[in-house]
Amino acid sequence: MMILGKLFGDANEKYLKSLDPLVKEINALEQKFVDFTDADLAKRVSEIKTAVQEQGEDLDDFLAEVFALVREASKRTLKKRHYDVQLVGGIVLYKGQIAEMKTGEGKTLVATLPIVLNALAGKGVHVVTVNDYLAKRDAVWMGQIYNLLGLSVGILQHDSAFLYNPDYQPAEQAEEERDRGIVVDEKFLEPVPRAKAYLADITYSTNNELGFDYLRDNMVQKLEDKVQRDLFYAIVDEVDSILIDEARTPLIISGPAGDSTEKYYKFAQLVKKLSLEEDYLLDEKLRAVTLTEEGINKMEKALGVENIYEVEGVATVHHLEAALKAEVLFKKDKEYVIKDGEVIIVDEFTGRLMYGRRYSDGLHQAIEAKEGVKVQQESVTMATITFQNFFRIYKKLAGMTGTAATESEEFSKIYNLDVTVIPTNKPLLRKDENDLIYKNEEAKLLAVTKEIKRRNELGQPVLIGTISIEKNELLSQFLERSGVKHEILNAKNHEREALIIAQAGRKGAVTLATNMAGRGVDIVLGGNPVDEKEAEEVKTLGGLHVLGTERHESRRIDNQLRGRAGRQGDPGSSQFFVSLDDDLLRIFGSERIKGLMNTLHIPDDMPIDNKFISHSLESAQKKVEGNNFDIRKHLVEFDDVVNKHREVIYKKRFQILSVDTDFTQIEVENPYRSTKEILWEYLGQELDILLDSYSLPDDKEEFNNAVSSLLVIGPSLIDEALAKESLAPFKDRLLKLAEDKYNSVAGQWPVERIGRTLADLERSILLNAIDSLWIDHLDALDHLRTGIGLRGYGQRDPLVEYKKDSYQLFKTLLESVRHQSVQTFFNLADSALKAQSLPGVSSSLADAAEKRAAENNQTAVLAGHNKVGRNDPCPCGATKSNGTPIKYKHCHGK
């Protein structure tokens, strides 16, 4: 590989050199705009916008000019001029790649270049950050550039939306803090409806908000309730964190499935009586826990049952396993925290609190019961998507981070994103010292405390990184006992932490943080704003020292922590303190290392720097990284199957919602002009199936009954229509019957009393059929996937088997949507005709669509139709006009 590199040169280096002419072109234009007034700059941007949007000119042709305009706007508003390497980063982002830029190289400013250029297409640019605070801060901070150039900025928060308010004149202090990129004066934000924030030229948000809005948009009942436009271009900040670390947890919108009961509290108490080895076995590598025979016997005795695995006890086993997992595998302040009486998940890679996310399969309820907080209702999945598939919807995607090169294969394979490493503006001076390895955790923490105290007494600022809130608070106690004053950050309050981390480079500062706390805020030597004299003193002391108290599962997270020191050519250093009790070494083979240390008779408080141990650490990290990549790859392979289903269903929903409208925010072709046209297409397909399923005239009676059940028309009328001497095929005669019935309903529809048109009812029926059956389909796919792995024991590829079976389920879903829509409509049409003679007809008639759809939800049972006999009644519940069930072979078994 090294020989090839010498022969052909470094690919990254070659690509960077290919961008030199563009950088020179941008620099050549710099002087041109110096004499422009602010109004001139905005006017030129407006002219380019018109050329692109109305005259069809290519954005690429304006890259150099727009970058030069943005640089000039930045110089005037933020007093910051983009360096040449920042221009290179901007070009890489514009071309839809990932730019790896070291901490302190100004990624936030770099992003303004491609953001403005892409915004001129008029389709909306999304800037994706890791938390609400950063979305708000960056929008207000960089909003000054966009505002000068005449572009609008939207900001999305967890429960609100804003536009950047350019008219607000802040006090000098608030303006200074904004310009330092630390805090946000709320008066810069003008509250607006969510859809308006999306209609801005540029919208700042988090990945969660964007993903959840996408799912909610595909659940709306009215087109005007949608908030997003087509997903055009996104720049993802901390792209490795969002597209890799968070990719294993899908976004899920749930609805209540049933009432909460005391069962969770009961099982939470029962499992506390179980003991490791005797009653259950624990596998930390696989994060699995299994009851032993003794444990099963103990639980059966406590529950007063003979066999907890009997058919009636499936729910019992499920709750028992969830309670045991919650008790043994999930620890407070590590996997989750308790905040305001709720269990909030902590992201294992970032330490951030994941609001709105819940563990599935009753696990979250089990943890709530364990902690004695209110148990929320069990839920059913109504909509779900992984971040992999959500971000692949964007027509153009780019990202930036300090650490991406190590994951370049994954970015390429899953997202089709290339990684380009951008050189630093000044040479990197940070010294990365060897790890120090201790025999146990207590010895390590004492050594860490001693080292922090030593550096603190010299005045050198120290940033300490821990892997969990729990470890954070433990080390804080050690520091307190040693009299070391320190600030503690644990990703609970992003805005307060930004203020603290901004001062972490001051002389004598000691900052204790989880891996992600304060991420996105620059640590400047001498504090922020900079005290130049103090900054020089700190530099002579060696700059910021980063001390890691434990190796993370991913080397990339360790590198992110190291990267907090040595920004912009500043001096700095980093070192990790490790013990054999750390999770990584304890789980992945520390016994051999412990044996080596005992053989060498190394005291507990003596660290060792041993190549064999360092190699074991790296080997353990590589194992976990490989395993995590496999999990994510496995997840996306299976979700790709669901994604194809999702695309079809969401497209159908949009077509139903957008008939007879000129809605242009979403680019989906719609061949239909009315909801009736969709219903009639479904009806034609249903009649084709019935005509193919029965042999006429032999099966005439059964055929008439099946059509009667579908159209709610007496069998005698059907018989009469088919008996007529006519050149028209049977299908056309039946469609004429349906048309006559439809016209009767349309002519007598009591819109004044009901308050809804017939088209409204049609839309409601079509959407209800899709939504209710889609929920059941997601549940069926979830159950299919849970057991599909077992087929590997039969030498069959689980993924191939999943694709095959899920395709059959999807065909059944589409058939059920079609059948339920038609049958529900004609049932309601029949009810409407009969109701005309009755006084007081109300909207309850139209609302009956939902009731009918709920009754017909039984069709989802067809997912298991291999257990239904051909002559058994069809599980969908269809009946003949006399109430006799229709046989499975003549209905969904066809």
Side-chain angles (χ1 to χ4, degrees):
M1 214 53 189
M2 285 179 70
I3 295 169
L4 284 173
K6 285 177 183 174
L7 284 174
F8 299 108
D10 180 76
N12 193 81
E13 197 67 36
K14 274 189 173 181
Y15 180 67
L16 291 174
K17 280 187 178 173
S18 75
L19 302 180
D20 280 348
L22 259 178
V23 173
K24 285 176 182 170
E25 191 181 344
I26 298 163
N27 286 334
L29 286 166
E30 184 170 11
Q31 199 56 39
K32 173 184 174 181
F33 296 119
V34 169
D35 297 329
F36 271 43
T37 64
D38 289 358
D40 290 337
L41 293 176
K43 183 185 174 188
R44 182 56 193 145
V45 168
S46 179
E47 289 168 354
I48 296 171
K49 189 190 278 192
T50 302
V52 172
Q53 292 181 34
E54 296 177 19
Q55 295 159 23
E57 296 198 35
D58 198 323
L59 279 176
D60 290 11
D61 298 338
F62 297 101
L63 187 148
E65 189 177 1
V66 170
F67 276 35
L69 283 161
V70 174
R71 180 193 255 175
E72 183 60 32
S74 177
K75 282 155 59 178
R76 296 183 189 191
T77 54
L78 302 182
K79 310 295 184 283
K80 291 178 183 287
R81 177 185 176 276
H82 295 79
Y83 305 125
D84 283 3
V85 289
Q86 290 177 314
L87 297 179
V88 171
I91 296 166
V92 167
L93 292 172
Y94 171 71
K95 290 182 179 291
Q97 299 176 17
I98 290 172
E100 177 178 297
M101 301 182 72
K102 300 299 177 198
T103 300
E105 291 297 304
K107 291 191 287 291
T108 309
L109 187 65
V110 168
T112 58
L113 300 161
I115 285 169
V116 170
L117 183 53
N118 278 286
L120 302 186
K123 296 178 181 179
V125 171
H126 292 168
V127 189
V128 189
T129 67
V130 293
N131 60 53
D132 277 351
Y133 160 69
L134 287 177
K136 190 167 55 174
R137 184 206 71 173
D138 291 356
V140 168
W141 191 13
M142 298 297 123
Q144 300 167 82
I145 295 174
Y146 308 133
N147 177 54
L148 189 147
L149 297 174
L151 299 174
S152 56
V153 185
I155 304 108
L156 293 171
Q157 301 285 278
H158 178 56
D159 52 3
S160 52
F162 305 91
L163 283 179
Y164 174 72
N165 178 11
D167 298 325
Y168 171 56
Q169 296 297 318
E172 194 174 320
Q173 182 188 359
E175 192 165 2
E176 182 192 323
E177 287 180 336
R178 175 193 62 177
D179 292 347
R180 282 158 45 209
I182 303 173
V183 296
V184 180
D185 185 334
E186 294 290 333
K187 290 176 185 172
F188 281 113
L189 307 175
E190 176 194 339
V192 292
R194 213 165 179 81
K196 195 168 181 182
Y198 274 114
L199 284 171
D201 295 306
I202 302 150
T203 305
Y204 280 78
S205 182
T206 64
N207 49 316
N208 280 351
E209 291 307 302
L210 291 167
F212 279 129
D213 279 343
Y214 171 76
L215 292 176
R216 283 190 286 261
D217 268 3
N218 285 288
M219 295 170 71
V220 297
Q221 298 299 305
K222 292 183 293 185
L223 208 55
E224 53 267 34
D225 291 338
K226 289 177 84 76
V227 295
Q228 284 184 347
R229 294 190 269 178
D230 258 354
L231 301 178
F232 170 59
Y233 175 70
I235 289 183
V236 183
D237 194 10
E238 309 294 2
V239 67
D240 53 333
S241 175
I242 290 172
L243 296 192
I244 290 182
D245 296 338
E246 292 197 31
R248 284 196 291 174
T249 310
L251 291 169
I252 297 172
I253 290 181
S254 302
D259 293 328
S260 300
T261 67
E262 291 296 312
K263 60 194 170 190
Y264 291 105
Y265 295 114
K266 179 181 178 181
F267 283 103
Q269 293 307 311
L270 284 176
V271 296
K272 290 184 190 298
K273 299 171 184 175
L274 299 175
S275 53
L276 182 60
E277 302 297 342
E278 183 185 340
D279 299 321
Y280 65 88
L281 302 174
L282 175 64
D283 187 328
E284 289 192 87
K285 285 183 190 177
L286 298 176
R287 284 188 65 77
V289 58
T290 317
L291 283 168
T292 62
E293 280 295 323
E294 183 60 35
I296 292 168
N297 292 336
K298 195 176 281 187
M299 287 295 97
E300 286 172 344
K301 190 175 177 182
L303 292 166
V305 297
E306 287 188 20
N307 180 6
I308 60 170
Y309 290 97
E310 63 190 1
V311 177
E312 292 81 6
V314 170
T316 303
V317 175
H318 174 75
H319 289 303
L320 183 57
E321 288 176 346
L324 190 56
K325 276 185 185 176
E327 180 65 29
V328 177
L329 293 174
F330 290 80
K331 304 295 182 190
K332 183 181 172 184
D333 289 337
K334 186 176 181 185
E335 278 82 14
Y336 63 90
V337 297
I338 306 295
K339 192 172 183 184
D340 301 326
E342 285 187 47
V343 172
I344 311 291
I345 300 172
V346 175
D347 187 292
E348 63 177 303
F349 291 99
T350 64
R352 290 200 305 272
L353 303 186
M354 300 168 77
Y355 293 99
R357 307 277 279 274
R358 287 176 67 82
Y359 296 116
S360 57
D361 294 329
L363 178 59
H364 210 97
Q365 286 89 346
I367 295 171
E368 286 167 336
K370 166 191 168 184
E371 295 295 342
V373 300
K374 183 185 176 185
V375 173
Q376 305 294 325
Q377 278 188 319
E378 284 192 67
S379 58
V380 61
T381 299
M382 300 173 73
T384 178
I385 195 168
T386 57
F387 281 125
Q388 286 108 322
N389 275 316
F390 172 68
F391 280 106
R392 290 194 296 187
I393 297 170
Y394 281 90
K395 289 181 176 62
K396 191 171 167 187
L397 183 64
M400 49 190 186
T401 181
T403 47
T406 54
E407 315 291 345
S408 57
E409 181 189 359
E410 185 166 351
F411 282 123
S412 176
K413 282 184 176 176
I414 292 179
Y415 300 100
N416 196 28
L417 287 170
D418 292 328
V419 176
T420 300
V421 180
I422 311 298
T424 55
N425 186 45
K426 294 178 182 176
L428 184 66
L429 301 179
R430 188 186 69 236
K431 293 177 184 174
D432 297 328
E433 297 168 20
N434 291 334
D435 294 357
L436 294 178
I437 299 134
Y438 291 82
K439 199 183 268 188
N440 57 54
E441 184 171 37
E442 187 180 5
K444 177 188 75 174
L445 290 175
L446 287 168
V448 165
T449 306
K450 189 177 178 182
E451 176 68 1
I452 293 167
K453 189 168 185 178
R454 181 182 74 80
R455 290 182 183 268
N456 178 245
E457 285 171 351
L458 293 171
Q460 184 178 16
V462 184
L463 174 69
I464 308 108
T466 64
I467 67 162
S468 70
I469 296 169
E470 180 187 38
K471 295 287 175 71
N472 215 16
E473 290 170 349
L474 178 63
L475 181 56
S476 177
Q477 292 170 12
F478 273 77
L479 291 173
E480 280 176 9
R481 285 201 293 269
S482 293
V484 177
K485 286 186 178 179
H486 61 281
E487 289 282 3
I488 182 165
L489 290 76
N490 48 31
K492 286 182 178 177
N493 184 329
H494 300 297
E495 189 149 352
R496 177 185 165 274
E497 289 175 4
L499 288 165
I500 294 170
I501 205 86
Q503 308 307 324
R506 294 193 72 102
K507 186 177 179 182
V510 175
T511 313
L512 176 56
T514 49
N515 284 327
M516 273 301 293
R519 182 113 175 245
V521 180
D522 228 0
I523 300 178
V524 184
L525 300 187
N528 193 347
V530 181
D531 180 323
E532 295 295 346
K533 184 184 174 188
E534 189 174 316
E536 286 307 311
E537 286 180 35
V538 171
K539 285 178 184 176
T540 60
L541 292 167
L544 178 69
H545 180 68
V546 169
L547 195 155
T549 60
E550 197 164 332
R551 281 284 190 174
H552 195 273
E553 284 183 355
S554 167
R555 289 168 295 169
R556 184 169 41 80
I557 305 294
D558 292 341
N559 292 337
Q560 284 169 354
L561 181 61
R562 285 192 196 277
R564 303 309 294 266
R567 62 173 289 288
Q568 284 290 333
D570 286 341
S573 55
S574 73
Q575 188 169 36
F576 280 86
F577 282 59
V578 181
S579 90
L580 300 186
D581 290 337
D582 293 350
D583 288 347
L584 188 69
L585 274 173
R586 184 175 53 77
I587 296 168
F588 291 91
S590 65
E591 291 304 316
R592 287 182 303 155
I593 303 170
K594 196 167 270 187
L596 173 69
M597 292 183 88
N598 288 334
T599 303
L600 298 173
H601 302 295
I602 295 171
D604 288 358
D605 60 351
M606 181 184 288
I608 61 166
D609 176 5
N610 181 282
K611 283 185 181 178
F612 167 70
I613 296 177
S614 297
H615 178 73
S616 293
L617 262 173
E618 193 169 325
S619 176
Q621 285 179 310
K622 282 180 180 175
K623 274 184 197 172
V624 180
E625 285 169 359
N627 184 51
N628 287 340
F629 176 50
D630 288 343
I631 290 170
R632 290 189 295 267
K633 189 164 170 282
H634 191 63
L635 176 72
V636 81
E637 284 172 345
F638 278 85
D639 194 60
D640 279 346
V641 178
V642 187
N643 200 48
K644 287 183 173 66
H645 301 181
R646 187 189 295 114
E647 285 171 0
V648 173
I649 291 297
Y650 284 1
K651 184 178 179 180
K652 280 183 178 292
R653 277 192 107 261
F654 180 76
Q655 287 173 340
I656 293 164
L657 286 167
S658 64
V659 290
D660 292 328
T661 72
D662 58 353
F663 189 76
T664 55
Q665 278 184 232
I666 312 290
E667 296 169 10
V668 176
E669 290 181 14
N670 196 349
Y672 304 107
R673 294 184 300 273
S674 67
T675 45
K676 183 197 170 184
E677 200 175 311
I678 300 171
L679 270 172
W680 245 243
E681 181 181 290
Y682 286 177
L683 173 59
Q685 291 166 348
E686 284 290 300
L687 292 176
D688 282 337
I689 288 167
L690 288 174
L691 286 163
D692 288 342
S693 302
Y694 295 94
S695 177
L696 295 175
D698 297 346
D699 297 332
K700 190 173 76 167
E701 185 184 346
E702 288 178 313
F703 175 78
N704 287 359
N705 286 332
V707 176
S708 173
S709 174
L710 182 70
L711 302 180
V712 198
I713 295 173
S716 58
L717 279 174
I718 296 164
D719 197 33
E720 185 183 322
L722 298 182
K724 282 181 182 176
E725 288 185 16
S726 170
L727 294 174
F730 283 177
K731 180 182 175 182
D732 289 352
R733 297 184 217 175
L734 294 170
L735 284 171
K736 178 69 171 63
L737 272 179
E739 186 72 39
D740 290 344
K741 182 163 187 174
Y742 183 89
N743 290 335
S744 295
V745 174
Q748 302 175 56
W749 187 255
V751 66
E752 294 82 10
R753 280 182 286 173
I754 290 178
R756 294 166 75 178
T757 65
L758 189 56
D760 288 337
L761 178 65
E762 290 163 0
R763 186 183 300 108
S764 176
I765 289 168
L766 289 164
L767 290 176
N768 203 281
I770 285 178
D771 292 346
S772 58
L773 292 166
W774 175 243
I775 290 169
D776 293 325
H777 181 67
L778 289 175
D779 190 48
L781 287 176
D782 195 42
H783 282 95
L784 173 64
R785 187 170 166 188
T786 301
I788 206 79
L790 297 173
R791 300 196 194 177
Y793 293 110
Q795 304 303 307
R796 288 182 289 174
D797 185 336
L799 181 59
V800 172
E801 293 291 304
Y802 181 74
K803 285 179 178 177
K804 191 168 67 179
D805 285 14
S806 65
Y807 176 67
Q808 293 304 320
L809 285 174
F810 189 59
K811 276 175 65 180
T812 301
L813 167 68
L814 295 180
E815 289 168 7
S816 300
V817 166
R818 187 179 63 225
H819 183 80
Q820 180 173 306
S821 298
V822 174
Q823 192 174 50
T824 303
F825 174 77
F826 281 101
N827 269 277
L828 279 168
D830 190 62
S831 301
L833 284 172
K834 289 173 181 173
Q836 297 316 300
S837 59
L838 300 173
V841 175
S842 71
S843 60
S844 60
L845 174 62
D847 292 337
E850 280 73 8
K851 186 178 177 185
R852 292 272 183 175
E855 289 167 356
N856 286 333
N857 275 356
Q858 299 171 63
T859 50
V861 176
L862 294 166
H865 64 50
N866 55 321
K867 298 174 185 174
V868 182
R870 285 186 54 71
N871 290 308
D872 290 345
C874 186
C876 78
T879 59
K880 300 177 184 178
S881 57
N882 61 5
T884 308
I886 296 176
K887 290 179 181 178
Y888 175 61
K889 68 182 179 184
H890 293 313
C891 194
H892 281 83
K894 57 194 173 295

